[in-house]
Amino acid sequence: MKNNELETKNELQDESLFNGSLGRRSFLQYAGASAAALALVAAGCRKDRNFGDISGGATLDFKDDFGVLNYAYALEQLEAAFYIQVASNPPSAFSATQKAYFQDVQFHEIAHRELFKKALGTAAIGSLEVNFSAINFSDAASVLATAKTFEDLGVSAYNGAGVRLKDAKYLVLAGQIVSVEARHAAYVRDQISNGSFADLGSLSAFGAVDANGLDASLTPDKVLPLAAPFIKTKINVINL
């Protein structure tokens, strides 16, 4: 058991955002995160392909499923970076329950990030550099507001990207992840205002539930500009 854990830990250690050790708990979360789906994706994505950088940035090529998966990978990198920073030093005003929640969610987002990274292999974009200068990590309201933005945006992004996926197994994987992101979104909204688990009746920039009870669906050309203020790395988009 110890040898297996050591091997897995070595595999997960990389030059990722914040260069933090995942630790045993997060490893267990990652190891249990849709292993069957990972095997399917890895089987389809292990190809001699590398998107590389353009002008020092990361390129999202939407001509096929690889581009959509890298798009999701970029968003998961952003979320993982945010939750890692919050969990490592939560606002003092957070309750014990809130601190535990952000600890757990960082493991979910790390698992999602590593799932895409491993599945994409050589086709994966590099690690993104984030820009969190507008976030006051010592202020509970600022942290919750940012978490709401990221979660609502993530749900809308997955909903909008699904139609671009040609392989059904990738669509299933995206559905499994967006349902987790929606749980996060509902919880965060409830912390800000009890019972406000979604925007009802009108669409907002980051997503809402419409009159038919459906969450918003935002296309990549709408999502990326909303995420851009939080990302230093230049994102190049082609074949969108």
Side-chain angles (χ1 to χ4, degrees), residues 67-91:
V68 181
L69 296 178
N70 262 313
Y71 169 58
Y73 176 43
L75 295 176
E76 294 298 347
Q77 286 192 56
L78 179 61
E79 286 192 292
F82 170 71
Y83 282 107
I84 288 171
Q85 188 156 332
V86 175
S88 66
N89 188 25

Side-chain angles (χ1 to χ4, degrees), residues 54-192:
I54 296 179
S55 302
T59 301
L60 301 178
D61 185 351
F62 283 93
K63 70 179 181 180
D64 56 23
D65 285 356
F66 294 95
V68 181
L69 296 178
N70 262 313
Y71 169 58
Y73 176 43
L75 295 176
E76 294 298 347
Q77 286 192 56
L78 179 61
E79 286 192 292
F82 170 71
Y83 282 107
I84 288 171
Q85 188 156 332
V86 175
S88 66
N89 188 25
S92 58
F94 268 9
S95 67
T97 299
Q98 288 174 317
K99 290 177 182 178
Y101 166 80
F102 276 88
Q103 285 284 339
D104 284 342
V105 175
Q106 76 164 322
F107 299 138
H108 297 169
E109 302 302 354
I110 290 171
H112 293 166
R113 184 194 69 191
E114 296 302 309
L115 180 69
F116 283 114
K117 181 178 180 179
K118 186 171 183 179
L120 283 162
T122 58
I125 59 173
S127 296
L128 302 180
E129 185 179 3
V130 297
N131 176 19
F132 291 155
S133 59
I135 306 170
N136 182 353
F137 284 95
S138 65
D139 180 65
S142 179
V143 169
L144 288 172
T146 306
K148 173 179 173 290
T149 294
F150 286 166
E151 297 299 347
D152 283 351
L153 187 60
V155 171
S156 298
Y158 274 100
N159 287 341
V163 69
R164 295 176 175 272
L165 291 170
K166 299 178 177 64
D167 195 316
K169 63 177 174 283
Y170 301 148
L171 185 59
V172 171
L173 177 61
Q176 290 176 311
I177 293 178
V178 73
S179 63
V180 175
E181 302 293 355
R183 294 169 194 261
H184 297 167
Y187 176 86
V188 170
R189 282 172 164 275
D190 209 43
Q191 298 307 297
I192 296 173

Side-chain angles (χ1 to χ4, degrees), residues 6 25 56 62 126 158-159 197 230:
L6 180 59
R25 185 179 182 187
F62 283 93
Y158 274 100
N159 287 341
F197 62 90
F230 302 100

